[in-house]
Amino acid sequence: MRHLLTAACLPLLLVSACATAPPNGVTTAALGAPGSAYGLFLAGSSALGDGRNSEALRLLELAKAQGAVDPAVTERAFTAALLAGDIERAALLAPDGDGASDQGRRMGRLTRAVEALAEGKGKVAREVIGNDGIGFPHRGAVALLSPWVAASLGDLEGSLVRPTVRGDGAVDYFGQIGQAHLFERARRYDEAETNFKAVTGGESPTEIAVSAYGGFLERRGRRPDALALYDAALRRNPDNLALKAARSRAATRKPPPAAPTVQQGAAFALLAPAVTLISNKQTQVGLAYLRLSLRLDPERNDGWLMLGDLLQQQGDTTGARAAYLRPRPGAPEFASGQSKLAWSYQSAGDKAEALKLARAAAATGVRDGRLTLADLLSANGDDAAAVAIWNTELAPGQDADWQLYYARGRAYGRMDRWKEAEADLLQAIRLRPDESELLNYLGYGWVDRGERLPEAMAMIEKALAANPRSGAIIDSLGWAHYRLGDYKKAVEVIEQAIELEAGDPEINNHLGDAYWMVGRKDEAVFQWRRVLTLNPDAKIKADAEKKLASGLGPSPKLAGQ
C-alpha cells in the first residue's frame, strides 16, 4: 500500500490529524494565491502523502518562510526531513511544546537523541531519551538504543543492562545480540559467547546472528570454529551473499571484521525494529527507523538495500536508485544492489540500461548477478541467452534449485522446446512438490496440449487448494474443462477467474472461446475485442485477431487433439 492516509494528512504515528484550517498567519484571502503560504502548505502535504519527501520538505519550508507559523507546518516539515533522510534538519525541526502532537513529539525526541549520538554527544542523547518523554510506539527502540548511549558515556554498568520490553520478543532477541557485542567491548568474552550461542543455537538462526557470532570467533582467533558456523548456515541457505563473503574471508585468513563501534551498535539497535515494523506493514515508521539507523552507520549496506526496496514500493524511484548505488564495488552487497537497480530500470521501460547494469553485476562473478542477467534476458525476449546462463548454473555438481529449473523450463516452453521444458518442470516439482505456481504451470501446459489430462487436472486442483484466490489457477481449471469438451462448466469456471483477474488477456481470450462454444457468440466477440486492448503477447494477439477476422470462432480443442 503506497499511502497510509490521504495526501492532506500526515503519515501514521508520526503526526497529528489532518489540518482543516489555514496555518496561523495566513489569511483566507491568500488561500488560492499561487505561491502563497497555504498553497505551499497544501502542495507540501500532498508531496508528503505521495512519498516525495524531499520535495515536501522544500515546499513546507517555503511555507514557513512565507509566514505559516502553525505547529502543523513545522511538524510536517519535520516528518518530511526525517523520511527524506535529512536527520540533522529533522532534529532541528523536531516538534515540541504545547502545539505539537504526542506522536510528533515522541518521534521528534527519538530523532534528537539519534542525531546527538551521531554527533558524539552521548550526554545529550541520554537526557533526551531518559526523561520518560518517549513512549509508545518507540519503547522497543529506546530499550535497544539505551545501552549504546550508556557505552558512549563510558557507563560500563549501564551498557551491560539487558534490554527488555514486556511481551516484545524482538527486543529480547536483538537485545541479546547487542548485549553480546557490549560484553565483548567490556572484554567479558565468556559472557559474550554465552549470548552468541543462545541466538545461534536454534535450527534456523538468522544471518545477523550467525554473522555476529562468526565475526566474534574470528576476532578471538578461532577461525575453524567460525568456518564450521558459516558452513552450517550455508548448508541451510547456500545463496546467502553475506555468509558466503564471511566464509571466504575466514577461509583465506583475511583480517576479521572489527567489533561494532558505539554508533554501529546503535545503528543495529534501530535496524532491528525497522525490519519488524516493515514486515508488519507499518512502513512509515519503519522508513523513519531505517533513516535514523543509516544516520548512525552510513556504511550499513544491507540497510541501504532495504531502504531502496521500501522506496521502490512507495513509488520513489529516484530515492530507491540512490540507495541501491550505495554499496561500492567489492562489497558483498554490490552485485545485489546492481541487480535491484537493473530491475528498477526494467520496470521503467529502459531495457537497455537494465541489461547494461545486469551485465555489470554478472561480471562481478557473484551468482546473484548472473541470475539477474538471465532473468532480464528472458524478460526481454532473449530466452536462448538466458538458457545458456541457466545451463551453467544447473551443470552437474551444482546445487539444485527448483526456481532455476522452473525458469529454464518456462524459457524452453516459449522456445517451443516442450520436451525439454517438461523435463525441467518435472524436476522442479520433484524438488518442490507443493509449489502452487509450479504445479499450475505444468498442469496448464499439459491441458493446453491435450496431454496427461487426469494428471494435469490433479495438479491444478492441488494448486488451487493451496491458492484458492488465484485467477490464473482457476482459469487453468476452466481451460481443462474446455479441453475435455465440457464447455458449460468451462464458462462457469473461467467467469470466476475473470472476476479475480479482469485485465488478463489470456483469461479473457479463453472466456471468449468458451462463450463461442456454448452459443454466446456476441459475448465471445466482445471478449476477443477486449483482449486486443489488454496488451496481449504476440501469440494471444494473433489468435484473437484470427478469430475476429474469420468470424468462425475457435476450433473445438478436445482431449487428445
Side-chain angles (χ1 to χ4, degrees), residues 37 61 160 162 168 350 385 389 472 485 534:
E61 295 227 287
L160 297 178
R162 173 82 171 271
D168 194 328
D350 191 344
I389 296 173
L534 297 175

Side-chain angles (χ1 to χ4, degrees), residues 218-280:
E218 289 182 66
R219 288 189 292 275
R220 301 304 301 148
R222 295 164 55 186
R223 292 179 188 273
D225 292 339
L227 284 169
L229 181 71
Y230 297 142
D231 285 340
L234 285 167
R235 282 193 292 273
R236 293 185 295 268
N237 189 1
D239 294 326
N240 187 288
L241 298 179
L243 293 176
K244 288 168 76 172
R247 193 202 183 284
S248 175
R249 180 188 62 228
T252 55
R253 306 188 67 82
K254 292 181 180 178
T261 65
V262 166
Q263 290 186 348
Q264 288 169 339
F268 172 74
L270 289 172
L271 187 65
V275 173
T276 301
L277 286 162
I278 292 168
S279 66
N280 290 333

Side-chain angles (χ1 to χ4, degrees), residues 440 444-445 447-448 471-480 482-483 487 490-495 497-498 504-518 523-524 527-528 531 534 539-540 543-544 547 554 557:
N440 178 62
Y444 176 81
V447 164
D448 201 42
I473 299 175
I474 294 172
D475 174 63
S476 295
L477 183 62
W479 198 237
Y482 182 97
R483 294 288 286 173
Y487 302 121
V491 167
E492 177 187 327
V493 175
I494 300 173
E495 282 181 338
I498 282 287
D504 187 294
E506 186 168 30
I507 298 176
N508 278 271
N509 196 37
H510 286 167
L511 183 57
D513 288 6
Y515 278 155
W516 184 276
M517 300 307 293
V518 296
E523 291 168 278
Q527 290 299 139
W528 296 327
V531 167
L534 297 175
K539 182 178 180 181
I540 295 174
D543 183 50
K547 289 177 291 196
K557 298 178 180 178

Side-chain angles (χ1 to χ4, degrees), residues 244 335 359-370 393:
K244 288 168 76 172
R359 288 191 171 96
T364 65
V366 175
R367 188 175 190 236
D368 185 55
R370 295 193 299 273
E393 298 300 325

Side-chain angles (χ1 to χ4, degrees), residues 91-372:
L92 293 173
L93 292 167
D96 212 345
D98 295 336
S101 70
D102 288 341
Q103 299 99 320
R105 188 183 298 112
R106 290 166 184 165
M107 182 59 85
R109 289 179 179 173
L110 180 60
T111 301
R112 286 169 48 213
V114 168
E115 179 60 23
L117 191 57
E119 292 292 327
K121 300 174 182 178
K123 184 177 180 181
V124 174
R126 173 174 271 182
E127 289 172 355
V128 172
I129 66 174
N131 62 3
D132 296 326
I134 306 177
F136 177 83
H138 308 300
R139 291 190 183 95
V142 171
L144 291 166
L145 195 61
S146 293
W148 294 99
V149 173
S152 75
L153 295 170
D155 177 2
L156 180 62
E157 183 177 347
S159 73
L160 297 178
V161 173
R162 173 82 171 271
T164 58
V165 172
R166 185 176 179 181
D168 194 328
V171 171
D172 289 342
Y173 180 78
F174 291 111
Q176 193 166 19
I177 296 175
Q179 188 187 46
H181 284 306
L182 287 163
F183 274 134
E184 181 184 9
R185 184 180 179 84
R187 299 185 180 181
R188 291 166 61 169
Y189 301 121
D190 289 345
E191 290 160 289
E193 185 157 15
T194 296
N195 273 13
F196 282 132
K197 284 182 175 179
V199 295
T200 57
E203 292 184 1
S204 300
T206 64
E207 173 205 311
I208 288 173
V210 171
S211 295
Y213 187 20
F216 169 81
L217 291 170
E218 289 182 66
R219 288 189 292 275
R220 301 304 301 148
R222 295 164 55 186
R223 292 179 188 273
D225 292 339
L227 284 169
L229 181 71
Y230 297 142
D231 285 340
L234 285 167
R235 282 193 292 273
R236 293 185 295 268
N237 189 1
D239 294 326
N240 187 288
L241 298 179
L243 293 176
K244 288 168 76 172
R247 193 202 183 284
S248 175
R249 180 188 62 228
T252 55
R253 306 188 67 82
K254 292 181 180 178
T261 65
V262 166
Q263 290 186 348
Q264 288 169 339
F268 172 74
L270 289 172
L271 187 65
V275 173
T276 301
L277 286 162
I278 292 168
S279 66
N280 290 333
K281 308 302 181 184
Q282 298 182 50
T283 53
Q284 291 285 7
V285 186
L287 173 57
Y289 278 23
L290 263 181
R291 291 294 198 183
L292 293 173
S293 175
L294 290 167
R295 172 68 180 103
L296 290 163
D297 184 6
E299 302 305 315
R300 182 108 202 184
N301 287 334
D302 56 349
W304 285 111
L305 295 184
M306 190 187 308
L307 175 65
D309 290 347
L310 189 55
L311 294 177
Q312 188 73 41
Q313 291 168 15
Q314 294 182 338
D316 183 0
T317 301
T318 300
R321 289 175 181 173
Y324 293 146
L325 283 167
R326 289 297 297 237
R328 308 312 304 164
E333 300 85 2
F334 174 72
S336 182
Q338 293 293 296
S339 297
K340 291 173 181 290
L341 191 61
W343 278 111
S344 171
Y345 280 96
Q346 175 76 11
S347 298
D350 191 344
K351 298 178 181 180
E353 184 65 18
L355 287 169
K356 177 183 174 183
L357 289 163
R359 288 191 171 96
T364 65
V366 175
R367 188 175 190 236
D368 185 55
R370 295 193 299 273
L371 296 180
T372 295

Side-chain angles (χ1 to χ4, degrees), residues 424-437:
D424 272 354
L425 295 169
L426 286 168
Q427 178 61 20
I429 288 175
R430 280 190 283 271
L431 295 169
R432 188 84 165 205
D434 298 320
E435 183 62 39
S436 61
E437 182 181 349

